């Protein structure tokens, strides 16, 4: 396995670029016209309390709060947590480690991990911790980069874990996307070991109206870029 490096530190180093990337109007068309509408179809109605793992600068938490969720969030980047707190939407925000969540067992009845687990070298521990803080029977909604959405040389060595670093320039902005490519079996195995079953698996595709509004999405009509899962905690093992 290639060394993962400290991906969390990389996201802190790139935090200001990420904030500009997400908050500049009409820049992140993949989120606005594609990812967020597709993910919305998986997220349940508000319950007692929702935890967001890897909340970043807070756009998903603000969206959840707008739908009536009472949201607690955690992220390892102090800069992103500080900006998420300033933007509002969360009842509680913590700068911390997803592998050591600060909440008691069964504190939440919904969990969300949107485009975060593939950024975590400690993905197995993070899944176990999400299972621990969820009530039994509760849903967990996950979005990750699709396991086949990777450079050809990594796809040719699919079962090896690879660190990625992809610098993108767009609309005068720059962002270095850092994460870890893993085979899907790694995620499925850890979910199963944590007593979590997969209820729905989507390889979302943008609809024609989204492609018309944002032509950059056209490639996602031909090959999957993201993977969305709705899971449920049925019992810890």
């Amino acid at each position: 396995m290639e060394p993962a490096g400290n991906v969390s530190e990389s996201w802190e180093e790139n935090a200001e670029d990420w904030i500009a990337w997400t908050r500049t109007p009409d820049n992140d068309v993949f989120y606005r016209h594609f990812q967020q509408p597709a993910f919305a179809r998986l997220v349940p109605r508000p319950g007692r309390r929702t935890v967001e793992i890897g909340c970043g600068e807070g756009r998903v938490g603000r969206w959840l709060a707008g739908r009536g969720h009472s949201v607690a969030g955690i992220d390892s980047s102090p800069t992103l947590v500080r900006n998420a707190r300033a933007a509002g939407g969360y009842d509680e925000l913590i700068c911390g480690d997803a592998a050591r969540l600060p909440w008691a067992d069964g504190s939440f009845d919904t969990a969300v991990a949107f485009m975060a687990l593939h950024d975590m070298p400690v993905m197995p521990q993070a899944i176990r911790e999400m299972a621990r803080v969820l009530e039994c029977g509760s849903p967990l909604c996950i979005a990750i980069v699709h396991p086949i959405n990777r450079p050809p040389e990594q796809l040719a060595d699919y079962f090896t874990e690879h660190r990625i670093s992809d610098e993108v320039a767009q609309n005068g902005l720059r962002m270095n996307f850092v994460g870890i490519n893993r085979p899907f079996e790694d995620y499925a195995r850890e979910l199963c070991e944590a007593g979590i079953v997969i209820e729905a698996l989507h390889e979302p595709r943008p609809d024609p109206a989204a492609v018309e509004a944002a032509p950059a999405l056209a490639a996602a009509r031909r090959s999957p870029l993201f993977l969305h899962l709705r899971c449920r905690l049925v019992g810890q093992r």
Side-chain angles (χ1 to χ4, degrees), residues 1-234:
M1 181 181 71
E2 296 178 357
N6 196 327
V7 176
S8 296
E9 284 187 4
S10 296
W11 275 92
E12 171 60 15
E13 291 168 3
N14 294 303
E16 295 293 348
D17 289 343
W18 177 240
I19 292 164
W21 189 273
T22 60
R23 296 185 181 180
T24 297
D26 299 321
N27 182 62
D28 194 351
V29 295
F30 282 85
Y31 178 77
R32 178 183 174 187
H33 294 287
F34 177 26
Q35 278 263 66
Q36 192 273 336
F39 195 67
R41 293 193 283 270
L42 288 180
V43 176
R45 293 179 179 178
R48 178 172 56 84
R49 201 172 189 219
T50 298
V51 62
E52 185 191 0
I53 308 299
C55 64
E57 59 75 49
R59 61 181 175 179
V60 173
R62 293 190 294 276
W63 169 75
L64 289 167
R67 288 168 60 103
H69 289 255
S70 174
V71 190
I74 186 168
D75 199 277
S76 63
S77 165
T79 301
L80 294 178
V81 169
R82 183 170 62 251
N83 279 268
R85 185 175 290 116
Y90 292 86
D91 297 323
E92 183 181 9
L93 267 171
I94 291 174
C95 184
D97 187 349
R100 293 187 294 273
L101 297 180
W103 298 288
D105 296 2
S107 294
F108 303 94
D109 60 1
T110 303
V112 171
F114 182 84
M115 300 300 290
L117 285 178
H118 55 268
D119 295 336
M120 297 181 182
V122 293
M123 178 271 292
Q125 295 95 311
I127 287 177
R128 288 196 291 270
E129 278 291 272
M130 283 189 282
R132 181 185 64 79
V133 301
L134 275 174
E135 292 180 348
C136 191
S138 297
L140 163 61
C141 299
I142 297 170
I144 58 173
V145 173
H146 199 289
I148 71 166
N149 178 17
R150 59 175 74 182
E153 64 274 14
Q154 292 190 10
L155 194 57
D157 190 18
Y158 174 79
F159 290 108
T160 296
E161 185 175 292
H162 301 273
R163 177 181 168 133
I164 59 168
S165 181
D166 184 20
E167 190 163 320
V168 180
Q170 172 176 297
N171 298 325
L173 302 172
R174 301 186 72 84
M175 179 61 201
N176 186 23
F177 292 91
V178 179
I180 302 170
N181 280 332
R182 301 179 174 95
F184 178 65
E185 182 182 10
D186 287 7
Y187 295 97
R189 180 183 62 250
E190 299 303 334
L191 291 167
C192 180
E193 289 297 319
I196 297 169
V197 299
I198 298 172
E199 293 185 330
L201 186 154
H202 294 171
E203 296 172 310
R205 285 179 289 174
D207 59 31
V211 175
E212 183 177 359
L217 301 180
R221 294 280 299 170
R222 300 186 297 272
S223 181
L225 302 184
F226 308 107
L227 188 64
H228 293 179
L229 308 172
R230 186 179 64 240
C231 310
R232 193 166 301 275
L233 177 65
V234 297

